[in-house]
Amino acid sequence: MNQLSLVIILLAALIIPLAMARLKVTFLPTAVVEILVGIALGPSLFNWIQTNATLDLLQNVGVIVLLFLSGMEIDFSLFKRRPQRLSPLAEKDQKAAPKYSVLTIATAGYGSIVVMAVVMGYLLKLTGLFSDVWLSSILFMTISLGIVIAALKEQELLSKPFGQAILLIAALGEVVPMVSLTFYASAYSPNSKSLWLILLILVAAAGLFWRFKAFFKFFDRINKSTTQLDVRLSFFMIVTLVTVAESVGAEGILGAFLAGIVIKLLEPHEETKVRLDSIGYGFFIPIFFIMSGVNLNLKQLVSNPHTLILIPVIFVGYLLSKSLVYVALKRRFKTMNAVAGTAMSATTITVVLAVLQVASHLHQITTQQSGAFLLAAIITCVLGPLTFNKLYSAEAEDLKKTTVHFIGTNLTTVPVAQQLAKGWYDVTMYTNNQHNYRAFNSEVTISLLDNMEPGFMVNQGVFDADIVVLGQVNSKKNYELAKIAKRYGVKRVIVRFEDRNILDEKQDELDRLGVELYNTPDVNISMLRALIEAPSTMRLMTSTEASVYEVALRNRRYADIQVRNIPFIDKITITQIYRDKRFIRPTGGTPLKLNDRIIFTSSKQEAPQVRRELGKLN
């Protein structure tokens, strides 16, 4: 019977995503559906699954792996203040720009959640429905980071200010409750020890990070398919920090959460994250969610009048505890988007399940009360994404074009600038040559500079761009300006080098800075060779109807999708994929990976849309 229950759970875990895809159920998170199926398979309805020691063990491992992967989801770059642009022109733009930064809005928003959660906890105690103020406060301040990320991915908002604000609030909605739960468990656990011992978990995490911080630098040279060293390191981290956490009287899930954070800070390859997701979401985590539903006995819940009252009260508590997020979001974003973001922030399930499991082990909550908190959380996961998708619309700042500044106007740069200006680019050219300015000013937007001194160029806002192209013939000047542009914080700097001696001397330094280089003789040689060896390719590159393009895959929506399943594959032909410093000749079954550089052919009308879709930072 033990084995049969596990077989039923694994069969359900297999069928659920297939059924959701077939029935086009997109408004419910997979985790919620798995809990609902678990309720149906348990004593609430069919009673096909019986709890046993094996399932209890797998459920405990599932929550540990879930919290580990949740720790890996946190993007710590969100907590950094963005560098301010330095030029006077940029300062003028900043006065017209939004007054409140994403970090300020998110911090104020989550601060309001903490305050309201405590208020809701006291109000719940005053009603006599639930007496543990601190436990209810922790539950009310939780947010489901996984569900928020999924919704933001669907709307392609992870790189947008609005999406980053919601994401940061959700990240705090996992970190703060986890830390609070640690102190709560230490206070109420019969095995609790001095609270200062909890610091040993942080010391252990810091020690592991320091020991393995260079791991992924030599990982590629020693890893084999039969060793999977990155996965072995991850599970070593999990077991070590869980053991340390339990040894000092804290909960093991805190150790798992910290293990995820440590692995995230080690900056693993995207493939490592994919493999760990495969292990977690492919086996352990579905068992945890389904078993959470199995352990929820609806027959007992609905038979208790106290619980029937508690469910809607807790649901309202979840909503009210997040209500002031609207005020913070409204400072910068549209009214309906502020409502949508508030609704999404109200979704919670992951940490709620972890908190309820810990509280049950500590005997601080009854089965009836635990069920009420869980059912109310499930309702938030149904209504939150529905409301968000219904109300959200693009912010004006999200529609901003990519800014490209060309330094140097000549027969090489001007035609490129003209073509880019027709697409999703805001192009400006700069020159101090009056003859070139008069010759090309009617064809493209050009600013005439008095000189090319770095300080003057900074003051004129020349480096306030997403991409800076240094296209002058003077290689020495291009080299100096490239370093200044990178120091200034320009994301992409593309430099023309005609003097091979300077290029050979400075290439290693510029590579370390992340500067992208091109050299006209090398390009001409490659073109001539292509004309001799592959004349059809050369004709394609110079065709007025079609051409060859390259794009870096940034959009997570297309990661791990086979080439044949790309929605617009009929519009393009993928000829090469550059991955891990080598070229791959793709077939229809080749899966795309994040950060792949995809070389494809397409019509010149279709290419810009394809590049925007694949290259979106999502």
Side-chain angles (χ1 to χ4, degrees):
M1 191 62 190
N2 291 353
Q3 290 179 324
L4 181 59
S5 293
L6 181 57
V7 169
I8 294 173
I9 289 174
L10 294 179
L11 179 61
L14 174 64
I15 292 175
I16 287 170
L18 294 175
M20 291 179 68
R22 177 62 63 88
L23 300 175
K24 298 181 179 179
V25 179
T26 57
F27 62 92
L28 282 177
T30 305
V32 172
V33 176
E34 288 170 345
I35 293 172
L36 295 176
V37 170
I39 292 173
L41 295 176
S44 299
L45 189 58
F46 298 115
N47 202 26
W48 289 349
I49 297 176
Q50 305 296 325
T51 58
N52 55 66
T54 301
L55 293 180
D56 287 342
L57 175 62
L58 291 174
Q59 183 180 4
N60 290 332
V61 174
V63 71
I64 285 174
V65 175
L66 176 63
L67 267 296
F68 167 75
L69 293 177
S70 296
M72 286 192 67
E73 292 285 4
I74 297 174
D75 183 1
F76 290 94
S77 64
L78 295 174
F79 293 88
K80 298 178 181 177
R81 285 192 175 274
R82 298 295 189 264
Q84 299 294 314
R85 298 299 177 93
L86 304 177
S87 70
L89 291 181
E91 290 174 4
K92 292 179 182 178
D93 293 338
Q94 286 175 356
K95 292 178 181 178
K99 182 178 180 180
Y100 297 96
S101 68
V102 166
L103 183 60
T104 301
I105 290 172
T107 304
Y110 192 74
S112 73
I113 292 176
V114 173
V115 173
M116 288 298 294
V118 175
V119 172
M120 290 298 106
Y122 274 107
L123 290 177
L124 200 59
K125 181 179 181 179
L126 291 177
T127 62
L129 294 173
F130 190 75
S131 60
D132 195 329
V133 174
W134 301 116
L135 179 59
S136 58
S137 298
I138 293 172
L139 287 163
F140 285 139
M141 68 177 69
T142 60
I143 302 174
S144 184
L145 180 60
I147 293 176
V148 169
I149 287 176
L152 295 178
K153 278 184 181 179
E154 185 64 28
Q155 293 282 359
E156 300 181 344
L157 292 173
L158 287 181
S159 63
K160 304 294 191 299
F162 178 76
Q164 289 180 340
I166 303 301
L167 184 62
L168 181 51
I169 291 173
L172 291 169
E174 285 209 344
V175 174
V176 175
M178 284 300 302
V179 174
S180 302
L181 179 63
T182 299
F183 288 99
Y184 177 86
S186 298
Y188 288 96
S189 173
N191 300 320
S192 64
K193 301 177 182 179
S194 298
L195 288 177
W196 68 268
L197 288 175
I198 295 175
L199 295 175
L200 292 178
I201 310 174
L202 301 178
V203 172
L208 289 171
F209 170 74
W210 182 263
R211 176 63 184 83
F212 290 100
K213 68 177 184 177
F215 178 83
F216 286 98
K217 292 182 179 179
F218 62 88
F219 168 76
D220 289 327
R221 300 200 303 268
I222 59 177
N223 189 48
K224 300 177 182 178
S225 60
T226 54
T227 56
Q228 300 292 334
L229 289 174
D230 50 349
V231 177
R232 296 187 187 193
L233 174 64
S234 300
F235 278 96
F236 168 74
M237 291 280 189
I238 294 173
V239 174
T240 301
L241 290 177
V242 167
T243 302
V244 172
E246 293 180 345
S247 299
V248 299
E251 286 296 321
I253 57 174
L254 174 66
F257 189 71
L258 285 175
I261 291 175
V262 171
I263 292 294
K264 175 74 174 183
L265 292 174
L266 290 176
E267 299 179 353
H269 300 326
E270 189 63 28
E271 289 81 357
T272 298
K273 179 69 166 60
V274 170
R275 282 194 286 266
L276 292 170
D277 280 344
S278 300
I279 295 171
Y281 290 102
F283 182 70
F284 292 108
I285 294 174
I287 294 176
F288 169 68
F289 283 132
I290 293 173
M291 284 302 299
S292 296
V294 170
N295 294 330
L296 188 63
N297 193 327
L298 286 184
K299 293 178 181 178
Q300 293 181 1
L301 288 177
V302 299
S303 65
N304 189 324
H306 180 272
T307 306
L308 287 178
I309 298 173
L310 189 57
I311 294 171
V313 170
I314 292 174
F315 172 69
V316 172
Y318 281 134
L319 297 183
L320 291 179
S321 62
K322 314 301 191 326
S323 58
L324 294 184
V325 171
Y326 167 81
V327 178
L329 294 176
K330 186 66 174 64
R331 295 284 185 177
R332 176 164 177 174
F333 306 111
K334 295 189 295 189
T335 299
M336 297 310 291
N337 284 353
V339 175
T342 303
M344 180 53 65
S345 298
T347 58
T348 182
I349 192 73
T350 308
V351 181
V352 164
L353 285 167
V355 173
L356 292 176
Q357 181 165 311
V358 171
S360 297
H361 290 164
L362 298 176
H363 305 293
Q364 294 296 313
I365 193 170
T366 67
T367 303
Q368 300 287 324
Q369 293 167 337
S370 178
F373 274 103
L374 179 54
L375 279 177
I378 290 174
I379 297 172
T380 67
C381 291
V382 174
L383 298 182
L386 279 175
T387 305
F388 179 79
N389 291 329
K390 183 73 175 177
L391 298 181
Y392 175 77
S393 60
E395 294 279 340
E397 60 183 315
D398 294 344
L399 302 176
K400 182 182 177 183
K401 293 183 177 182
T402 300
T403 305
V404 183
H405 287 182
F406 284 83
I407 301 174
T409 54
N410 48 58
L411 293 176
T412 300
T413 57
V414 171
V416 176
Q418 287 177 313
Q419 294 178 27
L420 291 176
K422 297 175 183 178
W424 199 250
Y425 295 93
D426 181 7
V427 178
T428 304
M429 304 194 76
Y430 296 88
T431 183
N432 64 338
N433 187 312
Q434 293 192 9
H435 179 268
N436 287 356
Y437 175 78
R438 288 193 297 269
F440 298 115
N441 187 41
S442 61
E443 301 179 33
V444 67
T445 303
I446 302 178
S447 292
L448 180 62
L449 300 176
D450 294 338
N451 59 71
M452 285 284 184
E453 292 302 316
F456 177 77
M457 295 177 71
V458 166
N459 288 332
Q460 295 300 307
V462 176
F463 299 120
D464 292 315
D466 300 305
I467 303 173
V468 169
V469 180
L470 297 163
Q472 302 175 104
V473 178
N474 189 330
S475 298
K476 186 176 181 180
K477 191 66 175 179
N478 285 346
Y479 162 72
E480 294 172 354
L481 292 177
K483 292 195 298 180
I484 293 170
K486 270 300 178 182
R487 192 182 309 131
Y488 187 77
V490 180
K491 287 185 287 188
R492 292 188 63 198
V493 178
I494 302 173
V495 185
R496 175 184 180 184
F497 273 99
E498 298 303 332
D499 190 327
R500 190 74 215 188
N501 293 326
I502 295 179
L503 178 58
D504 292 340
E505 181 183 346
K506 306 297 185 182
Q507 185 165 359
D508 290 342
E509 178 186 0
L510 293 173
D511 284 343
R512 287 195 300 271
L513 292 173
V515 174
E516 301 168 56
L517 311 172
Y518 78 95
N519 173 268
T520 302
D522 288 346
V523 172
N524 290 338
I525 291 169
S526 299
M527 294 285 282
L528 179 58
R529 180 177 174 179
L531 182 61
I532 295 171
E533 296 183 339
S536 59
T537 300
M538 186 62 186
R539 282 194 293 270
L540 180 63
M541 294 177 66
T542 57
S543 169
T544 58
E545 298 297 326
S547 189
V548 179
Y549 301 91
E550 179 180 337
V551 61
L553 180 60
R554 298 282 189 262
N555 195 335
R556 293 176 183 270
R557 175 183 288 186
Y558 300 103
D560 302 309
I561 289 182
Q562 292 180 333
V563 167
R564 66 166 68 93
N565 293 327
I566 299 174
F568 41 82
I569 190 61
D570 57 324
K571 299 178 182 179
I572 65 174
T573 300
I574 298 179
T575 56
Q576 294 279 355
I577 295 175
Y578 187 70
R579 178 188 301 162
D580 295 333
K581 300 180 180 180
R582 61 189 179 91
F583 283 99
I584 298 172
R585 183 170 296 173
T587 65
T590 301
L592 299 179
K593 299 294 183 182
L594 210 62
N595 299 318
D596 277 355
R597 300 200 70 86
I598 300 170
I599 301 170
F600 67 95
T601 58
S602 171
S603 70
K604 293 186 176 180
Q605 292 73 33
E606 299 285 358
Q609 181 180 353
V610 171
R611 295 184 70 193
R612 282 199 300 272
E613 185 66 20
L614 292 174
K616 286 177 182 175
L617 182 60
N618 181 19

